[in-house]
Amino acid sequence: MSTVTTEPLLRYSRTQRHPRLRPRNSRLLNPASLNFRSKTVELLSNGASFCNFKPRHRVQPVRASSADAAVLDTFQSADVFFKETFSLIRTQRVEGKIFIRLDQGNDEAAWELTIGCNIPGKWILHWGVSLIEDNGSEWDQPPKSMRPPGSIPIKDYAIETPLKESSEQDIFYEVKINVIPNGEIAGINFVLKDEETGAWYQHRGRDFKVPLVDYLQDDGNMIGAKRDLGLWKGALGSLSNIILKKESSASKLQGSSSELEDTKQEKIFLEGFYEEQPITKEISFENSMTVSVQKSPETAKNLLYMETDLPGDVIVHWGVCRDDAKYWEIPKAPYPPETTVFKNKALRTLLQVPKEGGNGCSGLFTLDEEHEGFLFVLKLNESTWLKWLGNDFHIPLSGSGGLHSQPGQGQFDVLKAERATDTNEEISPVAYTEGIINEIRNLVSDISSEKSRKTKTKEAQESILQEIEKLAAEAYSIFRSSIPTFSEETISESKVQKPSVRICSGTGSGFEILCQGFNWESHRSGRWYMDLKQKATEISSMGFTVIWLPPPTESVSPEGYMPKDLYNLNSRYGSIDELKDLVKTLHEVGIKVLGDVVLNHRCATYQNPNGVWNIFGGRLNWDDRAVVADDPHFQGRGNKSSGDNFHAAPNIDHSQDFVREDIKEWLYWLREEIGYDGWRLDFVRGFWGGYVKDYMDSSEPYFAVGEYWDSLSYTYGEMDHNQDAHRQRIVDWINAANGTAGAFDVTTKGILHSALERCEYWRLSDEKGKPPGVVGWWPSRAVTFIENHDTGSTQGHWRFPRGKEMQGYAYILTHPGTPALFYDHIFSHYQSEIAALISVRNRNNVHCRSTVKIIKAERDVYAAIIDEKVAMKIGPGHFEPPSAPERWSLAIEGQDYKVWEAS
C-alpha cells in the first residue's frame, strides 16, 4: 500500500517495557512538557482559531493607582469617539507526542492497542493490517471485529478511524483497537493524519508498523521491536520492545519453510509496551485587542484605553506623533504604571492584570490633545512583536475616527463595516464595493494624468502601480480566506492563504516569465557566463523578463550545488568579474537576474579531531556549532534539524543566530556586489520556511522561488487523482515563509506527466473544477515548469514525456502562475513555438493571478478559457471555443495543442 509521502517531524523515541508499563489511568503525558516556540505572528481582520492554551506563567499583577482607577471609571462612562477591536492570530510551533500502547484486556486472549496524540487537531488514524501470507508491504483491511466505532473503509486496503477525546486527563485524543492474536495477522500498519492541516505523520517517511509475529523482517519502521533476540534493530535505532514470544526457539524461526509454517500455528504470547514519538505542528491561536479613545470631560486630554486577552506579559512599545508623517515622539509625563523609557525613542509599558485576575490585561494612557496619533506595537517576548499588516498600529487622537494605515499597506475597511452592523446601520454591498473600486480608479487616473506625468518619474509611477498590484493580491487573499473552497475532508484554502504580516511577496509584478539560464552540463565550457552574455538580447526579445543563473560559489561539485566558501565566486561557470559583466548586460536588456543560492548545506574545509568534515573556512569560518545535531554523518553540535537532512554535506543549523546573521549579510553582499534581483532557493525542504522569511525580509528580493521537491501520491504504482496532500505540503512551506517566496509547482508537473503520457486529460481538473496543482490554490506563489536541470538535461531524473513538451508549455504559458522555461527547450527546434506562446501571453496580459475557466477535462482533451481573453486546448481530442459572446481567432497551433485569442 502506498500513502502520501509526507516527512514527519519524528526524530527520537522513548520505549517502556513491562513490568514498568504505565497503568491505563496514569498521566502519560504532561502538558507542561509541551514546548510552545513562537515563530510567526499574523494579524488578520478576521479568521478562526484552533484553540487557546493557558499561559505557562504570570508575573505578579501590577495594580493601578486609585487616581488611575478614578480616571478609568470616568472613561467608561463617557462618550467614546474611536473604538476598534483587532483580531490577533498568532502562529506557534507546538511540540507534543504520538503515543502507542499495547495492553492486555480483561480476557487473556484479547489485547488492546491504543494510539493517541496530545496536540489539538482533527486526527484520523489511517490503518490496515499485514497478513502472514502477504509479501512486501501491502495492506489489507482488518476484520470487522477489530474496527472501532466510526471507522470508514478506504477502498479495499485500509480503514480510517477518527481519534476521540481521551478519558485520560493529559492526553487529548486517542483510538483503541481490539487485537486478538490468531496467527493470521502479521502486523498492524498505520499513519496519523491531521485533517486540519492535511499533514500525514509517518515513521521516517514510512508507515508505522506494530508486528504481531516475531519473524518479520524489520524495514526500519517497526514499533516496539525486540532488541534482546537480535531480530530487529528497532524503530528508530533505539526502540526495544515488541513483544511477541513463541514457544519455539529462535533457531527454529530461521529454519525451513515447513518449519516456519509450523511456527505460525503455535500459540503466541504478547507482552505489553508503551512508546512515545515526538511530533510538532503549527497551531494558530486567536486573541483580540480593543482600543478606545475619548476626550476627558475634566482636562480636555485624550484618554486611550487598551484591553487584550493575549496571554502572558504584554508590553506596549509606544509613542505619539503630531501629523500623518507618523514620526515617533515621547510625550510628556504622566505615564501609566510600569513604564520605562527605551533609548530615548519610545516608551514601554507593561499592561496590567485586571483586579479580578484572569488572563487578560489592559492599560490606560493619558495624552495631550496636541498629538495627532498614538503609535505602538505589542511585545510578547524578545522574538515576538505584533504589528498591523506590517506597520505600527496608529490610533487617531481626534474625532475623525478610523484606523490610519500607511498608503498602500493593505488596510481594508472591514472593521468599519462591523461597527455599522453593531449600530444596526445597514451598508449597501453595492455602495460599499463601488466606493472601494472608485478609490482605486481615482488613484490610477491620478497616475495617468498629465500633471502626474510631469511631476512623477517613470520609476515612481511604476512603484505605485506595483504596490497596487500587491494590494490586489492581499485583498484577493483575504477574500479567498473568507470563502470555503474545499470540503471538510480536504484542507481549505482559507487555512493556507492568510494575509501576510508584511507585504513583501517576492513575486515581482505578477507578469514575469522565467528562463532557466543553464543545464546540467553548462559548467563544462568554463566560460558559461560569457556564452550566455552573447544570448542576452535574444532571450529578452523572446519576452523573458527574469533569468535564473546557476550557483555562483566555489563548490566541491562542478555544478555548484555543494558550496564551500560562499564569498568565493570564481566557479566553473566563470569568474566573479564575468558574472558581474553578465548581470550588467542582462539588466541593460531589461531582464531581472536570480541567483541560485544553496542555504541548506555547505561543504567543510577542515576535519575535526575525530576526522569528521565539519569545520568551515573562508570568510564564514564556522565551527561544528553551525551543523545540525541529528545528522550522524557530520557530528554537529547545533540543534536538531528543522527539516530533512541532505546527507551528502553538513546540514546548516539555521536556528543559530550567528548563522542567520552571516547568511543575511552574504545575501545582501550578493545583491550589492553582483546585482542579483532575487533568488532561486535550493532544497528548501531541509530547513523551516520561517527562516526563509527572515532571509527574504532582509534581502528584499524582487522575485524569489523555492525548490520544495516532494513525491506525489501513488497507489499500486498509479498516480492518485487527488493530489491535495502533495500541493498542501508545498503551500504549507510557502505559508511558513509568509508568502515572501513562491515555490516550483511540482504538483502540476507530475500531473501533466500522467495526463499527457497516459492520455488521461481528466486529471487536469481537481474535484472543485480548478487546476489540480499549486496554481489552483495559490497561483501568485506557483512557479510552473515542465523541466529543469535535474529532471531533464543529461540527468533525466524525471523527464517530461518525449514529444509532448509543447503541450506542457501551451498549458503553463496560458495559465496563471509564473511560468519557468528550461534552457534546453528554449534553444531547440521548439524556439519559435515557445516565442509565439510567450507573445500570446504578453499580448493578453495573462499574469500570475489570472482566472481559469475549465471547459473540458476528458480522456483525450483538456480545454480552458483564461481571463475571457485566451482559449486553449491540449490533447488529441476536439475542441473549439464557443462563438459567443467573444469571437475567437486562432493564434497558434501545434501537435495536439491550439491557442485562440478573443478578437
Side-chain angles (χ1 to χ4, degrees):
M1 180 256 179
S2 175
T3 62
V4 178
T5 305
T6 353
E7 294 302 325
L9 296 168
L10 309 180
R11 300 296 180 193
Y12 301 101
S13 63
R14 183 174 68 196
T15 303
Q16 296 181 344
R17 292 177 53 87
H18 274 330
R20 300 187 302 275
L21 181 67
R22 301 186 183 190
R24 295 173 185 247
N25 58 358
S26 66
R27 291 192 172 190
L28 300 181
L29 300 173
N30 187 349
S33 66
L34 294 180
N35 181 14
F36 296 84
R37 296 182 295 175
S38 178
K39 294 298 183 185
T40 59
V41 178
E42 297 184 344
L43 306 186
L44 311 182
S45 57
N46 56 9
S49 65
F50 289 103
C51 60
N52 282 292
F53 283 88
K54 294 181 180 179
R56 298 180 65 180
H57 68 277
R58 280 291 298 176
V59 297
Q60 185 68 25
V62 179
R63 304 298 184 187
S65 66
S66 58
D68 288 335
V71 173
L72 181 57
D73 291 339
T74 301
F75 179 92
Q76 293 173 338
S77 63
D79 292 332
V80 175
F81 66 78
F82 175 91
K83 185 174 183 179
E84 292 280 8
T85 297
F86 305 95
S87 181
L88 311 179
I89 293 185
R90 302 173 292 119
T91 303
Q92 291 181 327
R93 177 173 291 188
V94 176
E95 293 184 351
K97 292 172 183 169
I98 297 174
F99 68 89
I100 306 101
R101 183 178 64 199
L102 184 65
D103 291 315
Q104 189 169 21
N106 296 328
D107 183 355
E108 291 186 0
W111 287 76
E112 186 175 70
L113 178 66
T114 304
I115 301 167
C117 180
N118 71 336
I119 294 182
K122 190 175 181 181
W123 298 102
I124 300 292
L125 186 71
H126 185 90
W127 66 287
V129 299
S130 296
L131 301 179
I132 288 179
E133 63 270 16
D134 287 344
N135 295 319
S137 58
E138 299 299 332
W139 287 25
D140 286 286
Q141 288 184 345
K144 293 184 178 180
S145 60
M146 289 181 62
R147 304 178 189 181
S151 297
I152 300 174
I154 304 298
K155 296 184 179 179
D156 60 351
Y157 60 83
I159 295 291
E160 285 197 347
T161 305
L163 273 63
K164 305 295 185 182
E165 290 188 8
S166 173
S167 59
E168 302 195 29
Q169 181 177 354
D170 297 333
I171 298 171
F172 291 172
Y173 306 100
E174 66 180 8
V175 63
K176 298 180 184 294
I177 299 173
N178 293 323
V179 179
I180 301 179
N182 57 13
E184 297 180 357
I185 298 176
I188 297 174
N189 310 287
F190 70 90
V191 293
L192 198 61
K193 176 183 178 183
D194 180 11
E195 286 205 337
E196 289 181 343
T197 64
W200 297 71
Y201 293 89
Q202 297 175 302
H203 192 179
R204 290 203 167 191
R206 307 191 68 171
D207 311 327
F208 289 91
K209 178 178 289 186
V210 178
L212 299 181
V213 295
D214 57 359
Y215 48 80
L216 292 181
Q217 181 182 359
D218 180 19
D219 53 4
N221 61 343
M222 288 189 181
I223 299 298
K226 292 176 71 172
R227 181 165 35 191
D228 50 347
L229 290 180
L231 297 177
W232 306 309
K233 296 179 180 179
L236 287 174
S238 63
L239 306 181
S240 63
N241 70 346
I242 189 100
I243 313 242
L244 274 161
K245 296 181 178 178
K246 293 180 179 290
E247 294 177 343
S248 59
S249 65
S251 61
K252 185 174 181 180
L253 294 179
Q254 300 172 5
S256 65
S257 59
S258 61
E259 292 175 327
L260 184 61
E261 190 65 32
D262 292 338
T263 300
K264 294 178 184 180
Q265 303 303 321
E266 296 180 8
K267 187 175 180 180
I268 300 174
F269 294 93
L270 291 176
E271 182 180 338
F273 70 88
Y274 170 78
E275 185 171 306
E276 296 175 358
Q277 298 280 355
I279 181 176
T280 52
K281 174 184 173 181
E282 294 287 341
I283 294 184
S284 295
F285 299 83
E286 183 176 17
N287 299 96
S288 64
M289 176 184 65
T290 299
V291 181
S292 305
V293 185
Q294 70 132 67
K295 289 286 185 182
S296 171
E298 298 177 355
T299 65
K301 290 189 175 184
N302 291 310
L303 302 178
L304 184 146
Y305 179 68
M306 181 183 302
E307 185 175 26
T308 180
D309 62 352
L310 286 166
D313 301 326
V314 180
I315 295 175
V316 182
H317 184 92
W318 65 282
V320 294
C321 61
R322 297 181 180 273
D323 51 38
D324 286 338
K326 301 181 180 64
Y327 293 115
W328 283 57
E329 295 183 15
I330 296 179
K332 298 177 182 178
Y335 305 137
E338 298 295 326
T339 296
T340 59
V341 179
F342 178 75
K343 296 183 179 181
N344 292 321
K345 296 181 179 180
L347 298 171
R348 286 185 171 178
T349 299
L350 175 67
L351 294 184
Q352 303 173 29
V353 176
K355 292 181 180 180
E356 63 274 10
N359 294 333
C361 50
S362 61
L364 179 65
F365 302 80
T366 302
L367 307 165
D368 291 336
E369 59 182 350
E370 63 182 359
H371 300 300
E372 174 69 23
F374 179 83
L375 303 166
F376 73 95
V377 294
L378 299 178
K379 181 176 181 287
L380 302 187
N381 54 52
E382 291 303 322
S383 61
T384 307
W385 295 72
L386 305 189
K387 293 186 176 183
W388 176 254
L389 294 179
N391 296 306
D392 305 331
F393 286 90
H394 176 263
I395 306 300
L397 299 178
S398 64
S400 58
L403 178 66
H404 290 193
S405 65
Q406 296 282 0
Q409 290 298 310
Q411 171 57 33
F412 303 103
D413 205 3
V414 176
L415 296 174
K416 182 182 291 184
E418 293 176 354
R419 289 198 304 274
T421 303
D422 292 338
T423 57
N424 296 321
E425 296 179 16
E426 294 186 1
I427 295 179
S428 167
V430 175
Y432 178 70
T433 304
E434 288 182 349
I436 295 176
I437 294 174
N438 287 335
E439 290 181 11
I440 296 174
R441 286 174 176 166
N442 290 338
L443 180 58
V444 175
S445 298
D446 176 68
I447 295 173
S448 61
S449 66
E450 183 177 354
K451 179 180 178 181
S452 176
R453 289 197 298 269
K454 292 179 179 179
T455 57
K456 291 186 176 71
T457 64
K458 180 179 179 181
E459 291 77 12
Q461 294 180 39
E462 181 180 4
S463 176
I464 294 172
L465 289 172
Q466 287 181 358
E467 197 63 43
I468 293 174
E469 198 274 339
K470 291 179 181 179
L471 278 173
E474 292 302 316
Y476 177 77
S477 179
I478 293 175
F479 167 73
R480 295 302 304 161
S481 68
S482 65
I483 299 176
T485 307
F486 309 103
S487 64
E488 293 182 356
E489 287 73 23
T490 58
I491 190 70
S492 68
E493 188 173 358
S494 64
K495 294 179 182 176
V496 299
Q497 293 194 6
K498 302 173 184 176
S500 302
V501 174
R502 180 181 180 190
I503 305 176
C504 181
S505 67
T507 58
S509 66
F511 293 88
E512 277 65 40
I513 301 176
L514 173 62
C515 162
Q516 180 177 359
F518 64 100
N519 61 28
W520 191 247
E521 304 297 329
S522 296
H523 65 278
R524 293 188 178 278
S525 70
R527 58 185 310 276
W528 183 253
Y529 293 148
M530 292 297 95
D531 293 341
L532 200 59
K533 177 184 175 181
Q534 303 302 318
K535 297 182 177 179
T537 302
E538 184 179 4
I539 293 171
S540 175
S541 65
M542 290 179 66
F544 290 100
T545 60
V546 181
I547 190 168
W548 155 26
L549 298 184
T553 53
E554 175 198 17
S555 171
V556 172
S557 64
E559 297 81 16
Y561 289 102
M562 299 282 281
K564 194 173 180 181
D565 181 358
L566 299 185
Y567 280 92
N568 183 352
L569 301 191
N570 295 311
S571 70
R572 300 291 182 89
Y573 298 99
S575 68
I576 182 173
D577 291 332
E578 290 171 338
L579 175 58
K580 289 181 181 179
D581 189 24
L582 170 61
V583 172
K584 179 176 179 291
T585 300
L586 291 167
H587 284 165
E588 289 173 351
V589 296
I591 298 178
K592 304 286 187 182
V593 182
L594 305 186
D596 197 331
V597 290
V598 183
L599 305 181
N600 174 75
H601 51 273
R602 181 184 170 197
C603 292
T605 306
Y606 310 105
Q607 295 171 292
N608 70 0
N610 297 327
V612 177
W613 292 89
N614 59 14
I615 308 299
F616 303 94
R619 181 167 167 181
L620 302 183
N621 54 347
W622 301 333
D623 59 17
D624 53 2
R625 292 173 302 162
V627 180
V628 299
D630 52 348
D631 185 350
H633 297 82
F634 298 103
Q635 299 179 7
R637 291 194 294 124
N639 297 310
K640 292 191 297 183
S641 175
S642 58
D644 299 321
N645 282 327
F646 178 80
H647 296 296
N651 288 257
I652 300 304
D653 178 13
H654 295 265
S655 69
Q656 303 281 9
D657 291 340
F658 74 91
V659 168
R660 292 199 307 278
E661 291 305 313
D662 283 348
I663 289 178
K664 287 189 283 189
E665 183 179 344
W666 177 61
L667 292 174
Y668 178 80
W669 178 79
L670 286 176
R671 291 213 62 186
E672 292 296 310
E673 184 71 16
I674 306 302
Y676 286 128
D677 302 289
W679 316 114
R680 182 266 184 184
L681 304 165
D682 183 66
F683 197 74
V684 295
R685 276 182 60 184
F687 54 101
W688 178 53
Y691 299 132
V692 172
K693 177 189 180 301
D694 192 18
Y695 300 143
M696 297 303 99
D697 286 347
S698 175
S699 60
E700 296 184 341
Y702 172 82
F703 190 92
V705 55
E707 181 208 26
Y708 191 97
W709 200 275
D710 200 2
S711 298
L712 280 78
S713 176
Y714 295 83
T715 300
Y716 301 121
E718 181 178 347
M719 179 182 288
D720 295 340
H721 177 219
N722 188 323
Q723 295 293 339
D724 287 353
H726 183 267
R727 58 175 166 176
Q728 182 65 54
R729 293 194 293 276
I730 299 176
V731 165
D732 286 345
W733 177 83
I734 301 171
N735 209 35
N738 219 38
T740 54
F744 288 109
D745 193 348
V746 181
T747 316
T748 290
K749 173 177 167 63
I751 293 172
L752 280 170
H753 272 246
S754 286
L756 275 60
E757 194 168 36
R758 301 165 62 96
C759 198
E760 295 175 344
Y761 291 83
W762 49 265
R763 292 183 178 274
L764 294 173
S765 177
D766 68 10
E767 295 176 354
K768 298 295 181 180
K770 293 175 174 287
V774 178
V775 73
W777 279 4
W778 207 342
S780 66
R781 302 304 191 272
V783 177
T784 53
F785 73 108
I786 69 168
E787 207 81 287
N788 62 28
H789 61 291
D790 286 321
T791 66
S793 191
T794 56
Q795 288 206 96
H797 287 325
W798 194 25
R799 199 178 300 279
F800 201 77
R802 292 187 182 276
K804 301 180 186 291
E805 290 87 354
M806 285 311 304
Q807 287 189 63
Y809 283 128
Y811 182 91
I812 69 172
L813 282 169
T814 57
H815 279 57
T818 299
L821 284 74
F822 183 42
Y823 181 88
D824 289 6
H825 294 159
I826 297 169
F827 293 97
S828 72
H829 61 284
Y830 293 135
Q831 184 175 27
S832 61
E833 291 179 89
I834 288 174
L837 285 171
I838 293 175
S839 179
V840 170
R841 184 181 182 90
N842 288 335
R843 279 200 306 271
N844 292 278
N845 293 319
V846 177
H847 53 87
C848 70
R849 299 178 182 87
S850 289
T851 58
V852 177
K853 181 181 179 182
I854 297 176
I855 307 300
K856 276 189 176 184
E858 301 173 357
R859 183 188 63 82
D860 60 351
V861 64
Y862 167 86
I865 295 177
I866 298 87
D867 286 345
E868 302 297 331
K869 298 177 182 178
V870 174
M872 60 82 65
K873 80 98 179 177
I874 56 176
H878 175 75
F879 170 79
E880 293 289 334
S883 57
E886 294 86 357
R887 297 181 62 186
W888 299 94
S889 59
L890 183 63
I892 179 176
E893 66 177 315
Q895 183 175 352
D896 290 336
Y897 78 90
K898 287 184 179 182
V899 179
W900 297 264
E901 295 176 279
S903 55

